[in-house]
Amino acid sequence: MELTTNKNVLDFVQKYVDLMKPDKVEWIDGSKKQLNELTKIAVSTGEIYKCNQKLLPGCLYHRTAVNDVARVEGRTFICSREQKNAGPTNNWMDPKEAYAKLDAIADGCMKGRTMYIIPFSMGKIGSKFAKYGIELTDSIYVVLNMAIMTRVSAKVLTKLGDSDDFVRGIHSKVKLEEENRYICQFPEDNTIYSLNSGYGGNVLLGKKCFALRIASYQGWKEGWMAEHMLILGVQKPDGDIKYITAAFPSACGKTNLAMLIPPETYTKKGYKVFTVGDDIAWIRRGKGGMLYAVNPENGFFGVAPGTNVKSNPNALATTRKDTIFTNVVYDPKKKTVWWEGLDKNPPKNVLDWKGNKWSGGMVDAEGKIIKGAHPNSRFTAPAKNCPCLSSEFENPKGVPISAIIFGGRRAKAAPLVYEARDWKHGVFVGSIMASETTAAAAGAVGVVRHDPMAMLPFCGYNMADYFQHWLDMGKKVKNKPKIFNVNWFRTDDEGNFLWPGFGDNMRVLDWIIRRCEGVVDAVETPIGYMPKPEDINLDGLDMSVDDLKQILDCDKKVWSAEAEDIENYYRSKFGDTLPKELYAELAKLKKNLRKRA
Ligand code: SAT
Ligand code: MN
């Protein structure tokens, strides 16, 4: 039964029913009953497996097609009317051409299938931050994931009323053909069109496609920001909570940082960390001349491998019920799941992420270990399961931000932490972010690439305009957050990590908070303010101040080369379109390096 009389919604649905020709159409109201019925159908067709309901109540297991395991950046397009509005970092397709191409692929693609119509909200329904969407899909897996990751409810349609202000999401698996896979965003039409994939980031259209690509464009037009950032709160012993947002590229530990458990030296004193979000922050100006952030999502789509009781006990606890596991190891007898790094006892005689027989310790012809879980295998878990979820998670006004952190995966160059001198310099620091690529996107892993603000794959408009938008926001906000850069991933010459990371990152957050409060000094270096090594609390850590000095350095040679590389990147990618302020910051960096050489 139709859940609305909104003509804009009905016309949109009808247009794609006519094109895709599903046998059946079903409106999703998000009720438990409906989701259970859909689960039953998906289990009966083998699309989904039910996990052991005693050990993992409400949990499900799914494998994607082998050729469909990550976001496909090469096949992701920003279809703005003018090419210059997609900018030099996005693939662009003319919207007319894109609609024609995708319509041809989608013609009749749902014959023999059901089209599900999912009304969903990004952000708390009815709140000022919230934005609504309707996703059409032929995948029950997508329906079930969207019901965890977003707020799926008939209430969305009630709130929407007769309005046209909703994002149109169109998805079909079609035939899962790689050569016909397209993830197209049409920012001026509030539309996303995704064909031939069944993998998370390509098909859960509320996530990267809407909450980042479309929303970043909306934010630019409407004076707010959509960022690839986690949001966390650090409660100090006096009860005051400081909120921090942090941008890292995919699979660089955002979920781990967001759910961090502080080391004993902090818990003893009463410090606590609360999670508001692990991937996306929508940021607006608010009371007291500050920036406020909400997490528009309702769940976590986290990387499974490496998640364990030690690395992230909160994430693991979050996944023990009502969670969907994708592309991990499945034990068909016990109906349990496993992934590399979960524990030291990989199961025997089970199925790997491709559905092949697999046993822990299996090696290939060259003697290399065959992994059971795909490196980008994921859990989709409800936020409300998270033991450290912030009480502010649903606060419609968001949380006030004291600090913004940028961070990448860099074996060399970037120190453990440094602070930008001011907002403008902070925007520069974000714009020069670079990181080694991970398995979260299809392509080579471990190659250093520029990834400004961790938004390279997610900025829905011209990145030069995006930089300008950041600069402009700074001009409008009186009590701006301080901006920092961190790097947990420095290695020695043998490739060993020099910083323990995980919970111990609290020691860096502590310094950051004290800087925000103005209660600790810093050393001025050519790249910004750095901690005095003795100001990082090393209590309980097997690390000396001398060890720490190794990762709190600013090597002039390395940074001079870095400055050259930034100059090349700026000039070759953006040329004259880059805001002048950023060229000025680069000139300042070069001058600082010369001065202190
Ligand atoms: O696949 S997603 O884009 O949803 C996750 C990620 O790559 O960050
Ligand atoms: Mn992400």
Side-chain angles (χ1 to χ4, degrees):
M1 206 184 67
E2 284 162 6
L3 294 181
T4 180
T5 53
N6 181 321
K7 194 162 172 336
N8 304 298
V9 174
L10 295 178
D11 286 353
F12 161 63
V13 171
Q14 194 56 47
K15 179 170 166 190
Y16 287 94
V17 167
D18 290 346
L19 176 73
M20 295 173 149
K21 306 178 182 67
D23 282 11
K24 247 178 75 188
V25 170
E26 182 170 343
W27 289 74
I28 303 297
D29 62 15
S31 67
K32 256 226 139 69
K33 181 165 168 273
Q34 187 183 35
L35 298 176
N36 285 341
E37 274 161 20
L38 289 176
T39 303
K40 254 192 225 147
I41 296 172
V43 168
S44 75
T45 60
E47 180 184 352
I48 278 173
Y49 296 70
K50 237 184 176 156
C51 296
N52 184 317
Q53 295 301 297
K54 275 213 188 83
L55 298 173
L56 295 166
C59 291
L60 305 172
Y61 172 73
H62 172 78
R63 281 192 291 268
T64 63
V66 174
N67 72 5
D68 191 24
V69 292
R71 282 180 292 102
V72 278
E73 296 178 4
R75 308 204 61 90
T76 300
F77 294 82
I78 300 299
C79 305
S80 47
R81 280 172 215 150
E82 285 188 57
Q83 178 161 15
K84 79 169 197 322
N85 288 332
T89 58
N90 283 313
N91 300 314
W92 176 79
M93 216 193 298
D94 178 80
K96 274 203 208 93
E97 187 193 322
Y99 284 124
K101 194 179 226 143
L102 273 67
D103 282 352
I105 297 169
D107 194 350
C109 67
M110 290 194 191
K111 275 186 194 154
R113 300 180 189 175
T114 301
M115 175 191 279
Y116 302 100
I117 304 166
I118 315 171
F120 65 96
S121 175
M122 300 313 291
K124 191 179 174 178
I125 299 174
S127 72
K128 186 177 127 198
F129 274 87
K131 296 259 178 199
Y132 306 133
I134 311 277
E135 177 166 352
L136 315 178
T137 181
D138 52 7
S139 159
I140 294 179
Y141 172 75
V142 167
V143 175
L144 298 177
N145 272 273
M146 285 292 284
I148 296 173
M149 293 306 297
T150 75
R151 289 148 174 103
V152 171
S153 166
K155 277 194 214 120
V156 169
L157 294 163
T158 314
K159 279 277 165 211
L160 190 62
D162 293 332
S163 167
D164 192 26
D165 186 13
F166 64 96
V167 168
R168 291 144 168 82
I170 308 134
H171 165 250
S172 171
K173 295 181 284 190
V174 193
K175 295 186 208 130
L176 297 177
E177 291 168 333
E178 259 176 303
E179 63 279 16
N180 281 319
R181 189 165 294 155
Y182 288 98
I183 320 298
C184 291
Q185 283 66 206
F186 304 78
E188 289 122 338
D189 299 347
N190 261 348
T191 297
I192 304 154
Y193 205 163
S194 163
L195 296 177
N196 273 304
S197 176
Y199 166 75
N202 301 328
V203 299
L204 308 178
L205 301 186
K207 197 173 180 55
K208 306 296 176 151
C209 304
F210 178 170
L212 288 177
R213 296 195 190 101
I214 297 284
S216 62
Y217 172 86
Q218 294 176 328
W220 177 45
K221 294 286 166 186
E222 298 167 8
W224 54 281
M225 306 161 94
E227 299 297 331
H228 193 202
M229 290 178 176
L230 67 91
I231 311 165
L232 63 78
V234 177
Q235 182 171 2
K236 296 179 299 165
D238 64 7
D240 178 35
I241 303 181
K242 289 273 184 284
Y243 292 95
I244 298 174
T245 66
F248 295 81
S250 299
C252 286
K254 280 203 298 300
T255 309
N256 291 337
L257 185 60
M259 297 182 186
L260 166 159
I261 293 182
E264 206 187 325
T265 171
Y266 287 94
T267 49
K268 232 170 34 197
K269 288 184 210 136
Y271 280 87
K272 283 187 190 132
V273 170
F274 296 106
T275 310
V276 182
D278 80 327
D279 195 37
I280 297 173
W282 283 1
I283 300 173
R284 285 176 190 270
R285 287 179 288 152
K287 227 175 72 192
M290 291 183 78
L291 286 176
Y292 287 72
V294 302
N295 169 13
E297 300 191 283
N298 204 25
F300 306 113
F301 187 63
V303 178
T307 305
N308 59 53
V309 259
K310 265 194 137 161
S311 67
N312 194 340
N314 284 320
L316 195 63
T318 306
T319 65
R320 296 300 90 180
K321 63 175 188 192
D322 301 327
T323 293
I324 302 174
F325 299 97
T326 303
N327 290 345
V328 299
V329 171
Y330 185 67
D331 183 333
K333 272 194 229 94
K334 290 201 196 120
K335 299 186 169 21
T336 51
V337 292
W338 189 86
W339 50 77
E340 275 70 23
L342 174 64
D343 55 41
K344 298 214 166 77
N345 310 304
K348 298 256 187 268
N349 303 316
V350 292
L351 299 174
D352 69 5
W353 70 272
K354 295 179 182 169
N356 295 330
K357 285 200 178 129
W358 182 86
S359 287
M362 252 168 72
V363 291
D364 65 15
E366 277 122 57
K368 246 179 63 198
I369 288 273
I370 302 175
K371 287 195 171 152
H374 188 275
N376 192 37
S377 53
R378 299 268 170 171
F379 55 79
T380 319
K384 65 172 187 292
N385 283 2
C386 179
C388 57
L389 190 69
S390 164
S391 58
E392 301 303 291
F393 174 68
E394 293 259 326
N395 186 334
K397 298 197 178 85
V399 294
I401 312 173
S402 296
I404 293 175
I405 299 177
F406 294 119
R409 185 183 281 270
R410 293 298 297 272
K412 303 283 171 234
L416 179 63
V417 57
Y418 67 98
E419 178 190 335
R421 287 181 299 271
D422 53 33
W423 182 267
K424 238 193 266 178
H425 181 224
V427 177
F428 171 75
V429 168
S431 80
I432 64 167
M433 257 175 77
S435 190
E436 289 152 28
T437 49
T438 68
V445 168
V447 184
V448 176
R449 71 164 182 184
H450 286 275
D451 188 352
M453 279 89 167
M455 282 290 277
L456 181 69
F458 308 121
C459 186
Y461 60 107
N462 189 318
M463 186 73 83
D465 292 331
Y466 168 80
F467 293 150
Q468 188 62 54
H469 183 43
W470 263 85
L471 293 165
D472 293 344
M473 285 297 288
K475 286 171 205 149
K476 289 185 209 150
V477 179
K478 201 161 113 243
N479 294 313
K480 289 183 266 298
K482 279 182 179 290
I483 299 180
F484 298 81
N485 191 90
V486 302
N487 177 22
W488 319 132
F489 301 95
R490 276 285 283 271
T491 57
D492 63 16
D493 294 336
E494 277 83 54
N496 304 305
F497 288 116
L498 289 165
W499 176 250
F502 299 101
D504 288 308
N505 291 335
M506 177 65 209
R507 300 168 192 275
V508 174
L509 298 185
D510 176 23
W511 183 78
I512 287 174
I513 288 169
R514 283 184 289 144
R515 284 299 292 169
C516 293
E517 294 175 328
V519 296
V520 66
D521 254 353
V523 190
E524 208 177 334
T525 79
I527 58 174
Y529 301 120
M530 250 191 247
K532 295 182 179 161
E534 62 272 24
D535 285 334
I536 299 282
N537 174 6
L538 293 180
D539 179 36
L541 204 58
D542 184 20
M543 191 173 194
S544 67
V545 171
D546 276 338
D547 294 338
L548 189 62
K549 278 183 185 155
Q550 276 190 68
I551 48 176
L552 281 179
D553 63 338
C554 165
D555 185 318
K556 313 259 162 46
K557 251 212 194 122
V558 170
W559 272 93
S560 298
E562 195 77 8
E564 284 311 312
D565 176 62
I566 296 163
E567 170 122 39
N568 274 336
Y569 176 65
Y570 272 4
R571 295 214 183 275
S572 65
K573 267 285 165 212
F574 303 102
D576 291 344
T577 65
L578 192 88
K580 285 188 192 61
E581 282 103 322
L582 296 183
Y583 278 122
E585 288 296 332
L586 174 60
K588 218 181 279 173
L589 169 65
K590 288 185 154 180
K591 194 169 136 209
N592 286 345
L593 286 164
R594 276 197 305 271
K595 200 161 59 190
R596 287 159 220 254

Short mmCIF file of all heavy atoms in Angstrom, two decimals, residues 261-272:
data_model
loop_
_atom_site.label_atom_id
_atom_site.label_comp_id
_atom_site.label_asym_id
_atom_site.label_seq_id
_atom_site.Cartn_x
_atom_site.Cartn_y
_atom_site.Cartn_z
N ILE A 261 38.72 3.41 24.31
CA ILE A 261 38.70 3.26 25.78
C ILE A 261 40.03 3.78 26.29
O ILE A 261 41.10 3.30 25.91
CB ILE A 261 38.49 1.79 26.18
CG1 ILE A 261 37.08 1.36 25.76
CG2 ILE A 261 38.69 1.62 27.69
CD1 ILE A 261 36.72 -0.05 26.14
N PRO A 262 40.00 4.82 27.13
CA PRO A 262 41.25 5.43 27.58
C PRO A 262 42.09 4.46 28.39
O PRO A 262 41.55 3.57 29.05
CB PRO A 262 40.78 6.60 28.46
CG PRO A 262 39.35 6.79 28.15
CD PRO A 262 38.82 5.48 27.69
N PRO A 263 43.42 4.63 28.37
CA PRO A 263 44.28 3.79 29.21
C PRO A 263 44.02 4.06 30.69
O PRO A 263 43.42 5.08 31.05
CB PRO A 263 45.69 4.21 28.81
CG PRO A 263 45.58 5.39 27.93
CD PRO A 263 44.16 5.57 27.55
N GLU A 264 44.51 3.15 31.51
CA GLU A 264 44.19 3.20 32.95
C GLU A 264 44.55 4.53 33.60
O GLU A 264 43.81 5.03 34.46
CB GLU A 264 44.94 2.06 33.64
CG GLU A 264 44.25 1.63 34.90
CD GLU A 264 45.08 0.61 35.67
OE1 GLU A 264 45.76 -0.21 35.03
OE2 GLU A 264 45.06 0.68 36.91
N THR A 265 45.68 5.10 33.18
CA THR A 265 46.11 6.37 33.78
C THR A 265 45.01 7.44 33.66
O THR A 265 44.93 8.35 34.47
CB THR A 265 47.45 6.85 33.16
OG1 THR A 265 47.74 8.17 33.61
CG2 THR A 265 47.40 6.86 31.65
N TYR A 266 44.12 7.28 32.67
CA TYR A 266 43.00 8.22 32.51
C TYR A 266 41.73 7.73 33.19
O TYR A 266 41.04 8.51 33.85
CB TYR A 266 42.74 8.48 31.03
CG TYR A 266 43.82 9.34 30.41
CD1 TYR A 266 44.91 8.77 29.76
CD2 TYR A 266 43.76 10.73 30.49
CE1 TYR A 266 45.91 9.56 29.21
CE2 TYR A 266 44.75 11.52 29.96
CZ TYR A 266 45.83 10.93 29.32
OH TYR A 266 46.81 11.72 28.79
N THR A 267 41.41 6.44 33.01
CA THR A 267 40.14 5.94 33.60
C THR A 267 40.19 6.08 35.12
O THR A 267 39.19 6.43 35.75
CB THR A 267 39.88 4.47 33.22
OG1 THR A 267 41.06 3.71 33.46
CG2 THR A 267 39.49 4.34 31.77
N LYS A 268 41.38 5.84 35.68
CA LYS A 268 41.59 5.99 37.12
C LYS A 268 41.16 7.37 37.61
O LYS A 268 40.58 7.54 38.66
CB LYS A 268 43.10 5.83 37.38
CG LYS A 268 43.45 4.83 38.43
CD LYS A 268 44.93 4.50 38.52
CE LYS A 268 45.91 5.60 38.23
NZ LYS A 268 47.27 5.10 37.96
N LYS A 269 41.47 8.36 36.77
CA LYS A 269 41.15 9.74 37.17
C LYS A 269 39.71 10.11 36.85
O LYS A 269 39.24 11.18 37.24
CB LYS A 269 42.07 10.70 36.42
CG LYS A 269 43.51 10.65 36.91
CD LYS A 269 44.34 11.72 36.17
CE LYS A 269 45.77 11.28 36.03
NZ LYS A 269 46.33 11.52 34.70
N GLY A 270 39.02 9.25 36.09
CA GLY A 270 37.61 9.53 35.80
C GLY A 270 37.33 9.99 34.37
O GLY A 270 36.24 10.44 34.07
N TYR A 271 38.31 9.89 33.48
CA TYR A 271 38.07 10.25 32.07
C TYR A 271 37.19 9.19 31.40
O TYR A 271 37.34 8.00 31.65
CB TYR A 271 39.39 10.32 31.30
CG TYR A 271 40.17 11.60 31.50
CD1 TYR A 271 41.06 11.73 32.56
CD2 TYR A 271 40.02 12.66 30.62
CE1 TYR A 271 41.80 12.89 32.75
CE2 TYR A 271 40.75 13.83 30.80
CZ TYR A 271 41.64 13.95 31.86
OH TYR A 271 42.35 15.10 32.03
N LYS A 272 36.32 9.65 30.52
CA LYS A 272 35.49 8.73 29.73
C LYS A 272 35.37 9.25 28.32
O LYS A 272 35.37 10.48 28.12
CB LYS A 272 34.07 8.66 30.31
CG LYS A 272 33.96 7.82 31.56
CD LYS A 272 32.49 7.68 31.94
CE LYS A 272 32.39 7.05 33.32
NZ LYS A 272 31.47 7.78 34.20
#
